[in-house]
Amino acid sequence: MTTSTPSPRRALVTGGSGDIGGAICRRLAADGLHVLVHANSRLDRAEAVAAAIVEAGGQARAIAFDVADGDAARAALETVLADGPVQVVVNNAGIHDDAPLAGMRESQWKRVIDVSLHGFFHVTQPLLLPMARTRWGRIVSVSSVAAVLGNRGQANYAAAKAALHGATRSLAREMASRGITANVVAPGVVAGAMAADAFPAEAIRQMVPAARAGTPEEVAAVVAFLCRDEAGYVNGQVIGVNGGMG
């Protein structure tokens, strides 16, 4: 008599083709999840992350849609749900478009909030009821230390990410009885293409008590823990990964 191996839980990581997103995808795949690596327009980058995961023995595939476009997101997720529920959602997609508020264009304000905040709703909401039927789920949103401390030139980004904190705490209360947790990971300065342009090494030493940038893998490790069974009683929390910045 043979017994079939249960299918792995599926995880969707938005913005999965970037530095932090890619590290999260690789870590979740190493933990045995089937990872849906999301990108917006750069499907080739998501495909490269998925291919590397498969080559390393994991399970992954790429998916592309604009999280800020509710209709496009819903259509893409309907296709995903045709294969079963998604039980792990990592809302990592986000963009910068920095300017002092006094000189910020309305388009800068709206696009940043569209991606980080409206994108959270467009991706998470359609997945909740199928997830709830399984009585198990993990929702992790990637925020920023800017949402806690503020940052010059980033009123739009800080507002969008801080809104995730309130939404997550509310969602945690709504879904906890169904075995679903919702938490936020708020990184500080993390090494990668974005930080390299914005933060010279000397500025990092002055800003960060740890006197260094974090790594994408350090952020991914915290996200991965929150997605495990062992983290079932951690719910509605904002966890900083910032070298002591606050």
Side-chain angles (χ1 to χ4, degrees):
M1 179 177 175
T2 60
T3 57
S4 59
T5 302
S7 299
R9 289 167 173 156
R10 293 196 298 164
L12 170 62
V13 180
T14 67
S17 61
D19 292 322
I20 293 175
I24 292 169
C25 289
R26 290 188 293 272
R27 184 62 182 260
L28 293 181
D31 282 353
L33 295 167
H34 181 127
V35 180
L36 303 172
V37 183
H38 165 269
N40 179 11
S41 57
R42 294 294 303 276
L43 180 60
D44 57 323
R45 292 180 61 187
E47 288 174 336
V49 173
I53 288 171
V54 171
E55 187 175 349
Q59 298 184 51
R61 71 178 180 89
I63 182 173
F65 60 89
D66 184 356
V67 299
D69 183 333
D71 291 337
R74 187 168 294 275
L77 294 174
E78 283 178 359
T79 301
V80 168
L81 288 170
D83 295 327
V86 174
Q87 289 177 280
V88 173
V89 181
V90 180
N91 292 294
N92 174 65
I95 60 169
H96 288 274
D97 196 351
D98 298 350
L101 189 64
M104 185 176 290
R105 301 187 307 276
E106 184 176 358
S107 61
Q108 289 177 286
W109 175 266
K110 288 186 173 178
R111 179 60 180 168
V112 169
I113 288 178
D114 278 347
V115 173
S116 284
L117 180 57
H118 297 157
F120 162 85
F121 176 82
H122 293 154
V123 170
T124 305
Q125 194 275 341
L127 301 177
L128 285 176
L129 290 182
M131 185 187 298
R133 293 186 193 106
T134 74
R135 311 296 293 185
W136 192 96
R138 300 288 184 262
I139 299 162
V140 181
S141 294
V142 179
S143 173
S144 168
V145 70
V148 179
L149 302 179
N151 196 29
R152 290 183 177 183
Q154 291 190 330
N156 51 357
Y157 184 73
K161 293 299 191 180
L164 292 179
H165 300 186
T168 295
R169 290 187 175 110
S170 298
L171 182 60
R173 289 178 173 268
E174 293 172 0
M175 305 303 291
S177 66
R178 293 162 175 83
I180 295 170
T181 65
N183 292 288
V184 172
V185 172
V189 180
V190 177
M194 197 176 291
D197 294 337
F199 300 108
E202 183 56 38
I204 291 173
R205 283 192 289 270
Q206 293 178 5
M207 291 167 52
V208 183
R212 68 172 179 88
T215 68
E217 290 73 22
E218 287 172 316
V219 177
V222 178
V223 173
F225 168 71
L226 293 172
C227 294
R228 293 178 185 158
D229 288 315
E230 298 94 316
Y233 209 57
V234 182
N235 204 4
Q237 303 305 303
V238 176
I239 301 173
V241 186
N242 56 44
M245 289 180 71

